[in-house]
């Protein structure tokens, strides 16, 4: 079945450090891929998305590229801020008739000043 | 900005009791969902709802669970007789296209 494997956390970085959170997926066909972020006490918010191979999603300085050849959608940011501290979820939506999102386990990021 | 709201934020109940978790989806959305996240585990799909009926459900969504849209704004998840293993964060989501918007969740604690 469809699944998402996400880098285990927690991740702790200093402000202005480079961030990578790895995400790989298993799916039939061509899923859409998403990164959601959950700030403390809040719901899951869509951070960025990509709907086809080689698409790059970007938002708030975060980027992720849909790599079909490696079935990956790694999240990157060049310079993290304290306000980026949150839990990050990679997810896929299989476009073959199912409506559900399939999530990874989430990666908790803490950025220290 | 429109948002999905969920109440209560935290629900504590005794095993065997019925609970109803409430959600107000974004007003022009037509698709509604419930997910749950047991502590330390993945966010898991429970059910999707469209046109006043269940359109898809997971194997987790057994006869103990039901969903309802009792009026034009609310979307509820009922657990008939709660078990200890139902303790989790429950997220409601709604969508107009393939982007799902989530609420802040209800933390259910079954004692």
């Amino acid at each position: 079945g469809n699944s998402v494997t996400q880098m285990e956390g927690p991740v702790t970085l200093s402000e202005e450090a480079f961030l990578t959170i790895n995400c790989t997926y298993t799916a039939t066909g061509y899923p859409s891929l998403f990164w959601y972020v959950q700030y403390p006490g809040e719901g899951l918010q869509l951070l960025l998305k990509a709907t086809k191979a080689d698409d790059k999603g970007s938002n708030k300085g975060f980027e992720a590229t849909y790599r079909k050849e490696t079935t990956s959608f790694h999240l990157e940011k060049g310079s993290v801020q304290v306000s980026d501290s949150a839990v990050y979820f990679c997810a896929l939506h299989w476009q073959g008739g199912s409506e559900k999102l399939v999530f990874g386990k989430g990666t908790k990021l803490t950025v220290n000043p | 900005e429109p948002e999905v709201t969920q109440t209560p934020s935290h629900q504590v109940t005794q095993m065997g009791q019925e609970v109803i978790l409430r959600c107000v989806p974004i007003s022009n959305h037509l698709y509604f969902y419930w997910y749950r996240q047991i502590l330390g585990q993945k966010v898991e799909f429970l059910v999707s709802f469209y046109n006043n009926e269940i359109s898809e459900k997971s194997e987790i969504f057994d006869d103990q669970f039901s969903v309802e849209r009792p009026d034009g704004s609310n979307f509820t998840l009922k657990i008939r007789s709660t078990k200890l293993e139902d303790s989790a964060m429950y997220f409601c989501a709604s969508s107009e296209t393939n982007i799902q918007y989530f609420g802040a969740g209800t933390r259910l604690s079954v004692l």
Side-chain angles (χ1 to χ4, degrees):
Chain A
N2 300 328
S3 66
V4 174
T5 302
Q6 198 175 328
M7 175 177 158
E8 292 282 334
V11 173
T12 302
L13 295 173
S14 297
E15 210 164 18
E16 299 183 3
F18 184 85
L19 169 71
T20 300
I21 300 177
N22 289 339
C23 171
T24 56
Y25 67 90
T26 303
T28 51
Y30 303 96
S32 294
L33 301 172
F34 303 85
W35 278 100
Y36 280 83
V37 58
Q38 185 179 30
Y39 299 103
E42 298 184 20
L44 297 166
Q45 300 175 25
L46 178 66
L47 181 59
L48 52 84
K49 67 179 176 74
T51 57
K52 61 184 189 298
D54 300 326
D55 266 3
K56 179 187 280 188
S58 60
N59 187 24
K60 299 182 182 179
F62 290 89
E63 292 183 341
T65 301
Y66 189 142
R67 301 275 188 214
K68 189 171 182 300
E69 63 276 12
T70 54
T71 61
S72 65
F73 192 55
H74 305 321
L75 182 68
E76 296 182 337
K77 187 174 186 182
S79 176
V80 293
Q81 306 300 313
V82 173
S83 56
D84 294 326
S85 298
V87 181
Y88 293 81
F89 294 90
C90 186
L92 71 81
H93 174 245
W94 182 60
Q95 300 177 92
S98 172
E99 295 149 30
K100 67 183 179 187
L101 287 172
V102 176
F103 283 90
K105 212 169 175 180
T107 302
K108 183 175 182 180
L109 169 67
T110 301
V111 181
N112 294 318
Chain B
E1 186 177 325
E3 59 180 20
V4 176
T5 56
Q6 289 186 244
T7 54
S9 57
H10 190 193
Q11 173 90 49
V12 181
T13 190
Q14 296 291 323
M15 191 170 57
Q17 295 296 303
E18 175 183 286
V19 293
I20 297 177
L21 309 183
R22 301 179 192 280
C23 170
V24 178
I26 294 173
S27 62
N28 61 330
H29 286 182
L30 300 177
Y31 299 85
F32 313 114
Y33 313 84
W34 284 101
Y35 292 80
R36 79 171 184 192
Q37 185 181 31
I38 295 171
L39 190 63
Q41 298 186 24
K42 294 186 177 186
V43 177
E44 303 171 290
F45 169 80
L46 291 177
V47 66
S48 60
F49 192 85
Y50 171 73
N51 201 25
N52 281 320
E53 59 183 29
I54 291 173
S55 49
E56 186 178 356
K57 61 182 181 179
S58 72
E59 59 274 12
I60 302 167
F61 194 87
D62 61 21
D63 292 343
Q64 294 280 73
F65 292 91
S66 61
V67 289
E68 194 177 30
R69 188 153 164 81
D71 53 42
S73 58
N74 290 284
F75 180 53
T76 61
L77 174 70
K78 183 192 292 186
I79 308 175
R80 253 178 279 282
S81 176
T82 50
K83 308 186 195 74
L84 294 176
E85 55 265 36
D86 293 328
S87 294
M89 181 72 89
Y90 288 80
F91 293 105
C92 174
S94 69
S95 70
E96 189 181 16
T97 61
N98 70 336
I99 297 176
Q100 296 182 23
Y101 295 85
F102 286 78
T106 293
R107 179 166 298 285
L108 177 65
S109 300
V110 182
L111 305 178

